[in-house]
Amino acid sequence: MLVKDVMRAPVVTVGPDWTLEDAFRLLLERGIRHLPVVAEGRLLGIITDRDIRLATSHLNPQGPCPGCAQVGEVMTEGVVTAHPLDPVEEAARVMRERKIGSLPVLEDGELVGIVTGIDLLDALLRLTGVTEPSGRLEVRLPDRPGELARLTGFLAGRGVNIHSLLSYPEDGDFVRAVVRVNTLETHLLAEGLRQEGFAVLWPPQKPW
Amino acid sequence: MVIYREAYRLYDFGPGHPFSPVRLEMLTSLLQALGVWREPLSPPEATREEVLSVHSERLVGRVEAASRGERVPDLEHYGLATGDTPVFPGMDRAARALVGGTLEGARRLLAGEKRVLQLGGGLHHAQYDRASGFCVYNDLSVAIRHLTRAGLRVAYLDIDVHHGDGVQWIHYEEGGVLTLSLHESGRYLFPGTGHVYEVGKGEGVGRKLNLPLEPFTEDESYLEVFEALVPWALSAFRPDVLVVQAGADAHYLDPLADLLLTTRAYERLFRLLLEYAEAFAGGRVLLTLGGGYSLDGAVRVWALLYHLFHGLPLPEHLPEGWRLAWEARLGRPLTPTLHDPEAPYPEVPRRPEIVKRNRLTLQRLTELVGSRLLD
Ligand SMILES: [Zn+2]
């Protein structure tokens, strides 16, 4: 999944000479929190609802910024950006490490979209396959070649469609695989997997 | 009034499939052996147009083609020809037979009948343009739509162990339909939906309620949240009629899910349902079957329902001849009594935590929906 698959476009932008009132009204109207600041087709900075509220609040430790009436005076410059062909996990990593809530997406210097934390959550939901009617299996696999193939091969043999498959490393040379499968019969699948020697963590075995 | 047709048993995905017509054969033969079986009403199949009141033309066309044995390349896209919902010859008609029964129940209610028990149907997973989870057409939604088109407010109550997703999504934006589903949490179990925050959209906001329960929830905890939630929701919504999907797969013997209800909880649930219908819906209630994949468990649960529906005294023992014949046919022992034995399974170690979490889920739900239900 790439940034271009989850970014929003076209982007709502403002100019540096916009008043803070107008910019804030635009944020409220559109129900968004981030506004790239653009002049002559060039990305100058970014301004958020938080920037505006802080600048105009008497709770600001420096007091309400006296000269700050325009976007250009409050915006953050030197914006971190993404490219449409970046993988989403890379965008997520940059946002997490820099503690920022959005990434304007640039292609050949032109602003073509924006990715926010919400878009990444949507991406996560799609990655986990929860939007399709499905049941969930959790299996612990030894961290070595061929184990995942054994698991998916078993499911294929039972005619079960896999909506999504996530795996992540666990302590002790194991990999946890979370599989969303298009079937009501996850219990029967789990039973079959156990008979094949798989460590099925969910659904659990009933003691009766 | 009870609705049933032999033709319901043609809805058959083949040997080994959990949604087996043997359940109906076993149930009706039990009621006959007990001497309580009364001749049911046998309505015809629903028409194509009636099915189209809630389903897309593309889905129906594909079901028809697959039923005729035609090769259709994109069936999987419509939830058909999958492991759960394979196609079989005559599937369209068999599914329409079930829809026809539930729809006739709705018609009878409009004609003044108070209580209808449809011994079949309850195909709550079928969606607007997708078959899903053993369900080809959504008989419940066809009946609900028939009732709302006549101007009635419908409260749909789903006690199947799986989330009633199809019914919920079909009526998600309708203010005149309250859907209320109690089910095992979708965190692991099919279909994965039915969270407390699925509360409806547009005019339907606050009219879609979900109570996802912890795996291994037992009688007491289930009844506690049920008795807190259902009368509250019904008194706020003021329905004209109650439509109930009475799936039996929350029974502890069910092989597909993890709730631990015994027949004692089901007896209480069914008594309450009939009481709630009187108290909140002028006595009007349409009940269908649904999931229930332990032959031993589901058949006894539904036999219980049949007795309570008719106000008959509950038998303690099942007829021995009937039981021996079915034990021979199935090749395994069956519970000899209508109710489950006392303490039928070992104690659940996480019980206090489960009870607490279910209460918390109920609290979250009531906070989320709160006054919006009353609007
Ligand atoms: Zn079910």
Side-chain angles (χ1 to χ4, degrees), chain A residues 44-115:
Chain A
L44 299 182
I46 192 159
I47 190 165
T48 68
D49 63 334
R50 191 162 171 262
D51 296 330
I52 299 177
R53 279 187 280 136
L54 186 66
T56 54
S57 169
H58 69 275
L59 296 174
N60 187 339
Q62 279 88 48
C65 168
C68 293
Q70 290 193 328
V71 163
E73 293 153 333
V74 173
M75 70 182 186
T76 305
E77 290 171 85
V79 185
V80 185
T81 63
H83 188 273
L85 299 181
D86 290 345
V88 283
E89 62 269 29
E90 204 169 299
R93 203 160 166 178
V94 170
M95 285 167 64
R96 179 65 192 87
E97 279 172 4
R98 300 287 196 109
K99 284 177 132 183
I100 51 179
S102 72
L103 291 175
V105 183
L106 297 187
E107 190 173 18
D108 301 328
E110 195 190 333
L111 183 67
V112 294
I114 187 166
V115 182

Side-chain angles (χ1 to χ4, degrees), chain A residues 134 136 183-184 187 202 206 208, chain B residues 84 187-188 191 254 257-258:
Chain A
S134 53
R136 188 174 192 260
T183 178
L184 273 126
H187 268 288
W202 195 276
K206 288 191 207 174
W208 54 85
Chain B
D84 274 12
R187 277 201 301 275
Y188 299 96
D254 198 86
D258 315 281

Side-chain angles (χ1 to χ4, degrees), chain A:
Chain A
M1 201 176 282
L2 303 176
V3 162
K4 71 179 170 70
D5 303 318
V6 303
M7 70 183 192
R8 313 267 178 114
V11 193
V12 183
T13 62
V14 291
D17 51 353
W18 277 51
T19 65
L20 294 187
E21 282 87 348
D22 286 346
F24 198 68
R25 194 170 306 125
L26 186 63
L27 287 168
L28 288 180
E29 274 168 13
R30 299 299 186 97
I32 54 178
R33 292 185 302 187
H34 307 265
L35 284 173
V37 184
V38 177
E40 286 156 18
R42 224 162 47 81
L43 180 68
L44 299 182
I46 192 159
I47 190 165
T48 68
D49 63 334
R50 191 162 171 262
D51 296 330
I52 299 177
R53 279 187 280 136
L54 186 66
T56 54
S57 169
H58 69 275
L59 296 174
N60 187 339
Q62 279 88 48
C65 168
C68 293
Q70 290 193 328
V71 163
E73 293 153 333
V74 173
M75 70 182 186
T76 305
E77 290 171 85
V79 185
V80 185
T81 63
H83 188 273
L85 299 181
D86 290 345
V88 283
E89 62 269 29
E90 204 169 299
R93 203 160 166 178
V94 170
M95 285 167 64
R96 179 65 192 87
E97 279 172 4
R98 300 287 196 109
K99 284 177 132 183
I100 51 179
S102 72
L103 291 175
V105 183
L106 297 187
E107 190 173 18
D108 301 328
E110 195 190 333
L111 183 67
V112 294
I114 187 166
V115 182
T116 68
I118 297 291
D119 302 323
L120 292 181
L121 285 177
D122 284 342
L124 179 67
L125 288 176
R126 272 175 65 200
L127 285 166
T128 56
V130 291
T131 47
E132 303 283 325
S134 53
R136 188 174 192 260
L137 283 171
E138 271 193 51
V139 184
R140 179 182 289 136
L141 302 170
D143 190 8
R144 62 173 181 243
E147 290 294 327
L148 205 52
R150 219 158 64 81
L151 174 62
T152 54
F154 177 89
L155 296 174
R158 294 288 183 105
V160 171
N161 192 23
I162 298 174
H163 283 312
S164 75
L165 195 163
L166 294 175
S167 69
Y168 54 91
E170 274 198 314
D171 292 341
D173 295 330
F174 290 105
V175 168
R176 178 83 64 98
V178 180
V179 196
R180 292 215 74 104
V181 282
N182 176 20
T183 178
L184 273 126
E185 301 185 57
T186 45
H187 268 288
L188 306 182
L189 280 181
E191 225 169 89
L193 284 165
R194 286 190 180 101
Q195 276 164 19
E196 296 286 312
F198 285 95
V200 182
L201 305 179
W202 195 276
Q205 215 158 4
K206 288 191 207 174
W208 54 85

Side-chain angles (χ1 to χ4, degrees), chain B residues 338-356:
Chain B
L338 183 66
H339 273 300
D340 295 317
E342 293 289 342
Y345 52 84
E347 200 171 312
V348 176
R350 287 176 54 242
R351 181 184 289 166
E353 193 189 321
I354 290 167
V355 171
K356 225 166 90 182

Side-chain angles (χ1 to χ4, degrees), chain B residues 124 160-162 249 291 293:
Chain B
H124 62 165
D160 192 280
V161 79
H162 301 97
D249 43 10
Y293 307 102

Side-chain angles (χ1 to χ4, degrees), chain A residues 184, chain B residues 122 124-125 133-134 158-163 189-190 245 247-250 254 256-257 290-293:
Chain A
L184 273 126
Chain B
H124 62 165
H125 294 307
F134 315 161
D158 187 319
I159 58 168
D160 192 280
V161 79
H162 301 97
H163 176 224
L189 196 69
F190 187 94
Q245 201 269 23
D249 43 10
D254 198 86
L256 300 195
Y293 307 102

